[in-house]
Amino acid sequence: MAAFIFYVTLFTLMASTSQADAAQTSAAALLLRVDQSGKGDYEKIQDAIDAVPSNNKEVVFILVNPGIYHEKIVVPADKPFITLSGSKPNDTVITGSDSGDIFESATFTVLASDFVGRYLTIQNTCGAGAKAVALRVSGDRAAFFGCRILSYQDTLLDDTGRHYYSNCYIEGAVDFIFGNAASLFERCHLHTLSEGGASITAQRRESPSEETGFTFLGCKITGVRTAVLGRPWGPYSRVIFALTYMSNVILPQGWDDWGDSSKQSTVFYREYKCYGPGANNRKRVEWSQQLTTKEAKIFLTKNMIGGKSWIRSTPKRFKKASSAISNNSTTH
């Protein structure tokens, strides 16, 4: 009951704070094209982002033509309402190999609100042995559709804000989905490269008052050897897997307390009607639970992140950028 009341309160709060209203969604989006061969408005993705005015108030649709873009990209906090889109994720690849600090190593960093990423591969090729973030999402109301997010350790820093991931492929080995956002992962494919019991998630909720947590709805989990579903980066870590296929890579215990038994009484680790050989709950740790149908109801829609009020559809009308914005990357 406490969880139900919590999420009803969360939904009410989030619905009241959304800024992406219907009028904005229906307006013509400003179209910018990125093409490495010089046939677009810009040759680099970052140059197109830099061209968006500060405190932007209209949807800017940046279409990225196929190619491998060796860039370290930041979407600044003062540039909301940007959509960055490829046509096929395998064809449009944003790649880097930085490592070290989790906040600085990301190949792609989103600080702005109301960002949308579509059909992109975002990767960090650093490999094993270092923290190497592919995607950091620190803005509110961010959504990703059909993206591939790839690294080894700390792949996706789902840092803060409300986020939605749909039909994404996310790959890594150690804590590869981590942070303290309030996020819904729907129909995503999680592939663990763990060689022996590393955790897929490390959610960082640090107090009962924080309105954060990860929900995986209708997802699929595969991997190369064995892994657990989550471990608590924060003592009140909250992760839910619902209606998700779990291959036999998931260890029978399911969850790990990160060597701190005191967190067993404060974490919120739940499963609901998951299936597959890794979903067998007979040997799950006693401090995780299966949700009843009534308890699960609040987690089975976008309401849990207030998403119906801010997740925007693809623009149907476009307008060409003015020469003041579309000046080609040579001016930067």
Side-chain angles (χ1 to χ4, degrees):
M1 178 58 72
F4 177 80
I5 294 172
F6 168 84
Y7 277 101
V8 169
T9 304
L10 175 59
F11 168 61
T12 302
L13 174 65
M14 292 191 295
S16 67
T17 57
S18 175
Q19 296 176 7
D21 57 26
Q24 190 161 33
T25 303
S26 63
L30 184 68
L31 178 63
L32 299 175
R33 292 180 181 270
V34 177
D35 184 282
Q36 289 179 321
S37 67
K39 295 178 181 178
D41 301 305
Y42 300 92
E43 294 180 12
K44 294 183 178 180
I45 297 170
Q46 188 66 57
D47 287 342
I49 293 169
D50 290 346
V52 176
S54 293
N55 304 311
N56 172 57
K57 291 181 171 59
E58 63 180 328
V59 173
V60 178
F61 193 94
I62 301 174
L63 182 61
V64 184
N65 285 354
I68 299 174
Y69 293 82
H70 294 272
E71 296 191 51
K72 192 176 178 73
I73 293 170
V74 177
V75 184
D78 65 346
K79 297 190 178 186
F81 302 114
I82 289 176
T83 293
L84 190 73
S85 180
S87 53
K88 295 180 181 178
N90 288 327
D91 293 344
T92 306
V93 179
I94 303 167
T95 186
S97 60
D98 204 356
S99 65
D101 184 271
I102 58 173
F103 293 101
E104 302 300 328
S105 64
T107 300
F108 197 113
T109 297
V110 178
L111 304 178
S113 66
D114 299 287
F115 176 85
V116 176
R118 302 170 74 251
Y119 310 125
L120 304 165
T121 289
I122 302 169
Q123 66 182 23
N124 189 319
T125 61
C126 178
K131 298 173 181 178
V133 175
L135 174 62
R136 170 190 171 189
V137 189
S138 299
D140 194 19
R141 301 184 300 274
F144 294 83
F145 300 91
C147 290
R148 298 169 71 242
I149 307 166
L150 316 174
S151 186
Y152 189 86
Q153 182 169 345
D154 299 339
T155 302
L156 171 57
L157 173 48
D158 196 51
D159 181 33
T160 184
R162 294 162 286 175
H163 308 150
Y164 178 62
Y165 301 85
S166 173
N167 290 289
C168 292
Y169 175 89
I170 309 170
E171 180 181 281
V174 182
D175 304 331
F176 68 93
I177 302 174
F178 72 114
N180 198 20
S183 297
L184 173 61
F185 297 78
E186 192 166 14
R187 299 183 303 278
C188 291
H189 182 176
L190 315 180
H191 186 73
T192 171
L193 302 175
S194 167
E195 292 288 346
S199 180
I200 292 173
T201 69
Q203 207 279 333
R204 198 181 189 175
R205 184 168 171 261
E206 297 190 83
S207 80
S209 63
E210 287 187 302
E211 299 163 339
T212 59
F214 301 159
T215 294
F216 298 86
L217 175 60
C219 294
K220 176 170 70 172
I221 301 173
T222 59
V224 299
R225 192 174 171 195
T226 58
V228 293
L229 297 169
R231 61 178 182 170
W233 190 13
Y236 290 85
S237 180
R238 187 198 321 261
V239 181
I240 300 98
F241 284 89
L243 305 172
T244 288
Y245 172 80
M246 300 181 181
S247 72
N248 58 8
V249 302
I250 299 302
L251 291 168
Q253 65 266 32
W255 306 86
D256 181 76
D257 65 9
W258 214 328
D260 184 352
S261 60
S262 69
K263 294 178 179 177
Q264 295 179 8
S265 62
T266 53
V267 298
F268 187 91
Y269 288 160
R270 301 290 187 268
E271 298 169 59
Y272 175 70
K273 290 190 175 180
C274 294
Y275 60 102
N280 189 324
N281 61 41
R282 286 178 298 178
K283 296 183 179 180
R284 286 290 193 259
V285 292
E286 60 183 15
W287 37 275
S288 72
Q289 296 178 26
Q290 301 291 314
L291 293 172
T292 66
T293 299
K294 184 177 181 180
E295 290 169 334
K297 187 176 181 181
I298 193 67
F299 302 111
L300 304 183
T301 73
K302 297 179 182 67
N303 287 352
M304 62 159 293
I305 54 169
K308 290 182 179 179
S309 63
W310 60 263
I311 296 172
R312 63 180 186 266
S313 57
T314 305
K316 293 181 171 57
R317 296 189 300 122
F318 298 92
K319 58 184 178 181
K320 187 65 178 173
S322 68
S323 58
I325 292 180
S326 180
N327 253 344
N328 214 310
S329 57
T330 57
T331 63
H332 292 273

